[in-house]
């Protein structure tokens, strides 16, 4: 089977790595890819959002399946577009992808299908004034979310009522996030610990894929600005069998059933961003693809023929895909560039040693040049190690992090420490 994988992050390197281990993989192309994906297949200079160009490439190279790594092509309707041309895509159609593309749609969907989530109301230019009054009826902190995709920056949380009202005004009237904030969701603040849970469906059957915790802030102790993700742990210790059963029964099941009822059976990976509210999972957001860096932690644990899995997503047959999880814990530490998540410099030469037996290097912002591998983005390299023991897994990744060399290297040294503390507290 010939596959075209879309994207260039650590998640895509993890996908490419899993695919490249399958005997039934034909040619693998990655658009645009990075220095890591180049070791698993052929990188191609294609814009994933230029559907005409993607189609022409698929026809020329006899691609059997397109696998989008991130949400942009899915939300833009790549599945519907390619279906017309007879090319299979492992992902949800545009309607189902709106679960990620519109927070207002996702909230209304959850209400329709009884999926637990924070109480909310949506506002736009027509009822902006009402929105400001509505805020006065809520208890702080106030949570305001731009409806559309805003590159992970569309959520504003503030303790201050006047500021919340000003932000609402700025989002709707001031178009703070452009069209993405012409509608704003105001929702109840959920107290608890965040967790990412994953499931996969071929539109008929579905399976859980496990849990991971993402470390979003740049600084140790969860301080400083948000990033794309500085590390991950999988599985999450508090996500025990009872908790995961609730996630499956109350969230994944009704979500997949809901999409089926609405005439758009969900085919793809479903990322459930949840808050664990005293043992009760509630949805913060849906994503219609795998997470980054969660994938870099989860995939080394996932025992499956990835070609079979993505083929099943697009063409059915998930019930016969053999799948299980390495019970060890994976700890991922993301190496980033100096200045990230602000301005960064690219092109720093890198020295990457051989990974140890328990360790995987997943490239993100890297590029292969005539002079060797150089940095090419904010998040540079995800280092994942596996161990029976979470603290040891993190330690092995940190040791490897020291060995990788490039100018301006930065990373968090506290990945998993909060979970360790929680574990001890609950004993
Ligand atoms: P999102 O872009 O939806 O993932 O939101 C960004 C971050 O805001 C989440 O990762 C949470 O940390 C936080 N957040 C979003 N919604 C809520 C909520 N209702 N209550 C508490 N925190 C929230
Ligand atoms: N790790 C969060 C995301 O992939 O959106």
């Amino acid at each position: 089977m010939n596959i075209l994988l879309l994207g260039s992050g650590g998640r895509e390197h993890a996908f490419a790595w899993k695919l490249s281990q399958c005997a039934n993989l034909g040619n693998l192309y990655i658009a645009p890819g990075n220095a890591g994906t180049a070791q698993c297949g052929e990188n191609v200079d294609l814009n994933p959002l230029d559907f005409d160009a993607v189609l022409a490439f698929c026809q020329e190279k006899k691609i059997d399946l397109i696998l989008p790594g991130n949400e942009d092509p899915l939300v833009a309707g790549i599945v519907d577009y390619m279906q017309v041309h007879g090319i299979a895509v492992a992902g949800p159609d545009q309607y189902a992808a709106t679960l990620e593309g519109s927070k207002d749609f996702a909230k209304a969907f959850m209400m329709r299908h009884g999926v637990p989530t924070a109480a909310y109301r949506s506002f736009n230019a027509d009822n902006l004034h009402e929105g400001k009054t509505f805020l006065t009826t809520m208890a702080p902190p106030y949570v305001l979310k731009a409806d559309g995709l805003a590159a992970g920056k569309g959520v504003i949380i503030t303790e201050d009522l006047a500021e919340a009202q000003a932000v609402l005004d700025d989002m709707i009237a001031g178009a703070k996030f452009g069209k993405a904030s012409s509608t704003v969701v105001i929702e109840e603040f959920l107290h608890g610990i965040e967790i990412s849970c994953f499931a996969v469906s071929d539109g008929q059957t579905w399976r859980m894929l496990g849990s991971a915790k993402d470390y979003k802030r740049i600084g140790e102790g969860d301080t400083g600005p948000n990033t794309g993700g500085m590390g991950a742990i999988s599985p999450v210790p508090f996500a025990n069998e009872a908790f995961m059963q609730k996630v499956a029964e109350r969230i994944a099941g009704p979500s997949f059933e809901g999409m089926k009822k609405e005439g758009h059976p969900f085919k793809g990976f479903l990322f459930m961003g949840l808050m664990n509210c005293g043992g009760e999972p509630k949805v913060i957001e849906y994503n219609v693809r795998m997470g980054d860096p969660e994938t870099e932690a989860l995939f080394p644990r996932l025992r499956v023929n990835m070609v079979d899995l993505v083929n099943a997503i697009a063409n059915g047959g998930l019930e016969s895909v053999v799948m299980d999880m390495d019970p060890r814990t994976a700890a991922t530490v993301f190496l980033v560039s100096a200045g990230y998540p602000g301005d960064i410099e690219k092109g720093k030469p890198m020295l990457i040693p051989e990974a140890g037996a328990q360790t995987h290097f997943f490239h993100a912002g890297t590029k292969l040049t005539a002079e060797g591998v150089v940095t090419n983005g904010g998040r540079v390299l995800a280092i994942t190690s596996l161990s029976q023991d979470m603290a040891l897994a993190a330690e092995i990744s940190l040791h490897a992090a020291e060995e990788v060399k490039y100018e301006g290297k930065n990373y968090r040294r506290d990945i998993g420490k909060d979970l360790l503390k929680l574990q001890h507290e609950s004993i």
Side-chain angles (χ1 to χ4, degrees):
M1 170 169 271
N2 296 331
I3 297 183
L4 172 64
L5 169 63
L6 305 177
S8 62
R11 168 184 47 212
E12 285 73 31
H13 185 192
F15 264 115
W17 167 71
K18 288 296 273 187
L19 290 168
S20 67
Q21 291 163 7
C22 304
N24 52 348
L25 178 72
N27 296 325
L28 174 64
Y29 300 94
I30 309 96
N34 59 39
T37 62
Q39 297 163 8
C40 310
E42 188 183 325
N43 287 349
V44 289
D45 190 16
L46 260 183
N47 173 3
L49 292 173
D50 184 346
F51 295 169
D52 289 338
V54 171
L55 175 64
F57 180 84
C58 289
Q59 287 167 337
E60 185 198 327
K61 300 288 185 184
K62 304 206 169 0
I63 298 296
D64 300 296
L65 182 126
I66 300 173
L67 172 60
N70 80 355
E71 66 278 14
D72 289 336
L74 294 166
V75 173
I78 193 167
V79 172
D80 310 63
Y81 179 98
M82 293 298 165
Q83 195 170 24
V84 174
H85 300 282
I87 299 198
V89 184
D93 69 11
Q94 191 168 28
Y95 180 89
T98 312
L99 284 179
E100 178 161 0
S102 162
K103 303 228 186 243
D104 180 47
F105 175 92
K107 296 296 285 192
F109 174 86
M110 287 187 266
M111 294 295 141
R112 286 199 289 281
H113 301 289
V115 176
T117 186
Y120 85 107
R121 276 190 64 187
S122 296
F123 297 93
N124 58 34
D126 297 333
N127 60 357
L128 170 57
H129 191 73
E130 209 182 312
K132 290 188 194 166
T133 312
F134 177 69
L135 280 167
T136 65
T137 69
M138 309 228 4
Y142 306 96
V143 182
L144 295 96
K145 301 184 170 183
D147 174 54
L149 295 179
K153 296 189 173 69
V155 177
I156 300 205
I157 300 179
T158 171
E159 290 280 342
D160 186 81
L161 175 63
E163 191 188 333
Q165 290 173 322
V167 166
L168 183 66
D169 207 52
D170 199 20
M171 278 183 162
I172 295 174
K176 184 176 170 70
F177 300 106
K179 239 184 89 201
S181 65
S182 57
T183 296
V184 171
V185 168
I186 299 180
E187 70 176 26
E188 170 199 9
F189 184 87
L190 297 175
H191 295 271
I193 307 170
E194 252 181 285
I195 174 171
S196 309
C197 291
F198 298 89
V200 60
S201 176
D202 62 0
Q204 293 309 315
T205 43
W206 61 271
R207 312 261 284 269
M208 291 296 290
L209 278 182
S211 67
K213 185 176 191 294
D214 175 13
Y215 291 78
K216 290 190 177 165
R217 304 291 194 91
I218 185 73
E220 286 170 19
D222 288 328
T223 52
N226 259 327
T227 70
M230 296 293 291
I233 296 286
S234 174
V236 181
F238 67 72
N240 54 24
E241 217 168 294
F243 183 84
M244 291 307 282
Q245 187 141 358
K246 287 181 192 171
V247 175
E249 281 172 11
R250 299 179 191 174
I251 295 169
S255 301
F256 289 125
E257 282 309 312
M259 270 300 161
K260 228 188 267 182
K261 281 186 199 140
E262 298 193 8
H264 293 269
F266 189 98
K267 300 177 176 193
F269 295 99
L270 184 66
F271 171 148
M272 297 162 277
L274 309 175
M275 195 69 91
N276 174 7
C277 305
E280 304 302 313
K282 290 192 179 180
V283 176
I284 292 182
E285 63 164 353
Y286 286 115
N287 296 311
V288 298
R289 36 110 190 142
M290 288 301 294
D292 192 346
E294 289 94 331
T295 305
E296 294 94 302
L298 233 152
F299 276 11
R301 298 181 50 233
L302 180 63
R303 299 183 184 124
V304 72
N305 177 308
M306 189 55 77
V307 170
D308 289 348
L309 182 61
V310 295
N311 183 35
I313 289 173
N315 298 311
L318 180 61
E319 70 282 354
S320 56
V321 175
V322 180
M323 209 163 35
D324 84 74
M325 279 280 178
D326 186 327
R328 289 177 299 171
T329 295
T332 302
V333 172
F334 230 122
L335 307 187
V336 303
S337 295
Y340 178 74
D343 294 339
I344 55 126
E345 281 176 28
K346 298 179 182 178
K348 308 288 181 198
M350 297 182 72
L351 211 135
I352 307 173
E354 280 287 304
Q358 310 306 326
T359 301
H360 304 271
F361 290 143
F362 296 116
H363 289 240
T366 69
K367 193 169 142 186
L368 197 53
T369 67
E371 285 76 47
V373 178
V374 301
T375 64
N376 193 40
R379 289 196 297 171
V380 175
L381 191 77
I383 302 177
T384 299
S385 303
L386 291 159
S387 169
Q388 307 284 358
D389 180 80
M390 178 170 61
L392 188 56
E395 215 173 286
I396 301 170
S397 286
L398 286 173
H399 183 73
E402 275 172 41
E403 306 290 307
V404 176
K405 311 279 183 207
Y406 61 88
E407 189 190 314
K409 179 180 71 178
N410 184 29
Y411 55 98
R412 278 179 63 166
R413 290 162 180 79
D414 66 342
I415 303 302
K417 292 227 167 104
D418 55 335
L419 295 173
L420 213 55
K421 209 165 135 236
L422 265 177
Q423 245 176 342
H424 289 306
E425 278 166 7
S426 62
I427 287 167

